[in-house]
Amino acid sequence: MIAASNGTKPLITSVCYVRHAVKEPQACARFVSEIFGLQQVASQDGEVTFRSDDRFRTVSLSRDQADGASIGIEAWDDAALQEIAERLRAQGFSVRSASPDECRRRYVQSALLADDASGNRIDLVTRPTRSGRRYFPPRDAGIVQFQGVGLRSIDHARDLAFWRLLGAEVADWVGDIAYLRIDHLHHRIALYPSQRPGLLYAAFEVEALDQIMQNSYYMQENQVKIVQGPGRQPASQQIFLHVEGPDGLILSYVTGTAEAGGRPRPPRQFPPTASSLCNWGSQSKGVPELGAQSSPRREA
């Protein structure tokens, strides 16, 4: 991974939240809390927020289509933010400093608001607020923490260049789908070629396979659409269950993601087939990006 110019610190450290713009915030909020199992914590400025771990919030829902959707990426410090801004501007990406009000809405100390080539808003933030209270969900789904995201990309080569400027590395390919590593795990971000931009899914780690299966049964009993899973990714060994709530909101339970290991290796190439995305045989239902439908890769 690319370090800051001092050669010792990474520029980014984690994926810390998602902000999702939806047409029906209350219906989505009931799904996120009562069905999926996140803890609702606050409603402010038209945003409903939820916890999944010791952070104050990891998910927000809002009707605001202009400034209600973004992915939060924690940067090491303000010096890292400055270096990120210089790198992105030098390559022609849109980036600006967040106002105090925008930082307050994001529960962070400082932030850069950037757009990737597809137009996905990426918030580069410092010091996201933690909670001193124990995470206490309304339903015991076994959720341990917010794990990562899947992003849709309509300009795959430029979007990949964007993430590389932040220090992400490609761990593996499935066709054109890129699994991006930013820490010890195989990946935190998956970049999917698509016909439209936006958040594809937000993934939450659960304790073990048992919780994946229990949640699968629970979703079936409550007539919640399972778009894929239970399944396992061959590249990362991640066991997953993708479920869909109101307004096309896809949330995922995951466990068992492989760690990167100490010895560097080049990214592996898996063919763009269903078995490369799930070697348990689960099929994507109505979500083409999860069905390995991709176009020829264009390197950044």
Side-chain angles (χ1 to χ4, degrees), residues 59-259:
V59 175
S60 294
L61 302 175
S62 169
R63 290 183 184 272
D64 188 350
Q65 297 294 322
D67 188 36
S70 59
I71 310 299
I73 305 294
E74 185 174 3
W76 186 274
D77 54 20
D78 285 326
L81 282 188
Q82 182 177 351
E83 184 161 345
I84 288 169
E86 293 171 356
R87 291 186 181 194
L88 293 178
R89 286 175 180 138
Q91 296 301 317
F93 290 102
S94 173
V95 58
R96 65 176 178 85
S97 296
S99 69
D101 184 63
E102 288 170 324
C103 291
R104 179 184 60 82
R105 289 184 61 188
R106 289 160 174 78
Y107 303 94
V108 299
Q109 187 69 21
S110 57
L112 289 172
L113 307 184
D115 293 332
D116 67 11
S118 294
N120 297 313
R121 169 63 57 81
I122 311 298
D123 301 343
L124 290 311
V125 307
T126 66
R127 295 163 58 184
T129 302
R130 302 276 170 165
S131 178
R133 296 184 178 181
R134 184 171 64 90
Y135 166 56
F136 192 76
R139 183 179 81 81
D140 185 11
I143 294 172
V144 175
Q145 64 177 339
F146 180 38
Q147 199 268 355
V149 297
L151 282 178
R152 293 183 173 99
S153 169
I154 60 174
D155 191 342
H156 199 253
R158 285 281 288 162
D159 286 342
L160 186 57
F162 175 94
W163 287 102
R164 282 172 166 160
L165 289 170
L166 302 184
E169 294 181 344
V170 178
D172 285 312
W173 297 95
V174 174
D176 288 350
I177 298 167
Y179 295 117
L180 302 179
R181 181 167 65 91
I182 62 173
D183 60 11
H184 66 287
L185 284 186
H186 177 271
H187 71 278
R188 294 283 185 179
I189 301 152
L191 197 61
Y192 293 82
S194 180
Q195 299 301 310
R196 60 191 176 101
L199 176 69
L200 178 59
Y201 60 78
F204 298 83
E205 182 183 352
V206 295
E207 295 167 4
L209 173 60
D210 285 350
Q211 283 66 45
I212 297 285
M213 302 310 297
Q214 289 166 9
N215 282 307
S216 177
Y217 301 143
Y218 182 86
M219 296 300 164
Q220 293 175 56
E221 291 170 359
N222 286 272
Q223 299 182 326
V224 174
K225 182 179 179 181
I226 296 176
V227 297
Q228 192 178 20
R232 184 174 67 179
Q233 296 174 352
S236 69
Q237 301 301 303
Q238 182 184 94
I239 301 170
F240 64 85
L241 178 71
H242 302 309
V243 300
E244 184 176 334
D247 209 18
L249 178 64
I250 299 177
L251 301 178
S252 307
Y253 302 105
V254 301
T255 191
T257 308
E259 297 197 0

Side-chain angles (χ1 to χ4, degrees), residues 30 32-40 50-51 135-141:
R30 286 193 296 272
V32 171
S33 179
E34 297 172 16
I35 300 298
F36 191 77
L38 300 187
Q39 179 186 0
Q40 185 171 336
F50 305 86
R51 292 179 64 195
Y135 166 56
F136 192 76
R139 183 179 81 81
D140 185 11

